[in-house]
Amino acid sequence: MRAQLERDFERFKRELPRDFPAHVRDAYRIDLAARYLGYPLPHPIGKGSGQLSLSQEQLETDRAAGLAFVVLKTVIAEDPEGIRSMGAWAIRETRMKVERRVSEAGREGWTVTWKGRGWDRSFEDYLALVRMAADVTRAGDLVAVPSVKYHLPHLDEPFRTAEYEHTTGLLALAWGGSTLSLEKDFSPTLAGDALADEQARILRWLREVPDQIRRSVNDGSVRLALKLMNARFDDAFQLEMLAAAASADALVVFNRLWDPVRGVAFGGHDLSERNCRVLRQARSEALPLPPLTGSGNVCSGRMILEYARLGCESVQLHTFFQLPLSEYPATEGSRSQRALHALVFDPKNGLIAGMLDLEASGVLGRQRGELRFLDLEVLA
């Protein structure tokens, strides 16, 4: 299998098979099946919300590349008059800057910085993208779901229900007859805002926002993931956030860190080290949680496995799809294809190599002759 992996790694530098999970199952007897927000996936790798998921062309590229799922750029909720309480987040992005970042422990990684926040086009344009995403999802080629930032009140302030009802209702209509799938974004820029400087306020949002969203659809048929931020407090508060968000159907853990000096969010190894540390503590305390999706510095197959062993059924990433082309071992294909090639087939740090190592060390066993990715979440 190791020799086969070396050959596949070289062979697929030029073209990644569209159905590479089937090849992995046939060649290595490894089942990469995963889940996001209740959807069965052929493998665990998806794209997080951002500048790389705001057009039909990008969705088509990711479908052709073989990504498992995509979260659309975050739209800012509005009421029937078009008023947006979080309108400060609907600003045009500056050019994204991909740069190396050295962690506090001296490990070199990557981060992407930009000044900008949510969807800055019309809500009608966003609904057109949601209709296309729903069609793609129903076709079974790619799971693609919208992301929203809604009104978040102060402690002594009510929720603006008109904003929730108007936005969620139109998204549900655009999605079609089935249950609306949705990700609520608690973004890293929110973590840096004065709005999020009180712990009690944040915990209230996490407890009450899911019900606000569900009540915005007539029959309550919403499948909801909360993408949690890294708040400007200690690890113990991150655990409180997890517990407060337990009524969601899924959690994405955790968004990027906030740099108050530069006024930007950032990633790299500091991010993944904190995320994994908090998830490890949550598992040691047997904190009851909904299904998890990992996020933060997903730069190798081994990092995917680290998140998986901490309870994550899939991962979503953003930075790794934006590296200079020279950083990918693949020589052809879109950045999504090149990223998948490295994450899955790298013979040292890829997903296959990592799962074979876990088998060799006795951590992961075969079921009916197969290693299964989803078995990892119970192995902490």
Side-chain angles (χ1 to χ4, degrees), residues 43 45-47 62-63 65-70 141-142 321 336 340:
H43 64 84
I45 303 167
K47 178 179 285 185
D62 291 337
R63 184 203 62 78
L67 282 189
F69 68 99
V70 170
D141 295 330
L142 173 74
F321 293 121
S336 295
L340 286 170

Side-chain angles (χ1 to χ4, degrees), residues 35 283 290-292 305 307-313 364 372-380:
R35 284 187 292 267
R283 286 181 77 81
L292 304 178
L305 294 176
Y307 277 113
R309 294 187 67 187
L310 293 171
C312 296
E313 300 180 333
L364 182 63
R372 301 187 302 200
F373 176 80
L374 284 175
D375 286 344
L376 290 164
E377 64 173 316
V378 298
L379 294 179

Side-chain angles (χ1 to χ4, degrees), residues 354-368:
M355 291 183 71
L356 292 176
D357 285 349
L358 289 175
E359 179 187 25
S361 64
V363 172
L364 182 63
R366 292 183 181 264
Q367 305 294 327
R368 297 182 179 178

Side-chain angles (χ1 to χ4, degrees), residues 75-146:
V75 73
I76 309 304
E78 60 183 50
D79 68 14
E81 284 71 46
I83 298 172
R84 296 175 292 188
S85 64
M86 307 293 281
W89 272 262
I91 59 176
R92 185 173 296 277
E93 310 279 355
T94 58
R95 184 177 178 85
M96 291 183 289
K97 184 179 181 181
V98 182
E99 54 191 346
R100 294 187 181 275
R101 185 180 180 96
V102 178
S103 71
E104 292 183 1
R107 300 180 68 189
E108 189 176 73
W110 290 93
T111 188
V112 175
T113 56
W114 68 93
K115 296 292 183 69
R117 302 179 178 186
W119 180 267
D120 62 355
R121 306 173 193 175
S122 73
F123 193 33
E124 290 72 22
D125 287 345
Y126 195 80
L127 293 175
L129 184 62
V130 170
R131 284 188 284 271
M132 189 262 192
D135 290 342
V136 169
T137 301
R138 281 190 284 269
D141 295 330
L142 173 74
V143 173
V145 304

Side-chain angles (χ1 to χ4, degrees), residues 1-2 8 27 48 75 90 133 163 244 264 267 280 295 331 336:
M1 285 189 179
R2 300 289 179 172
D8 282 347
V75 73
E163 183 178 289
V264 296
R280 197 171 294 115
S295 183
T331 56
S336 295

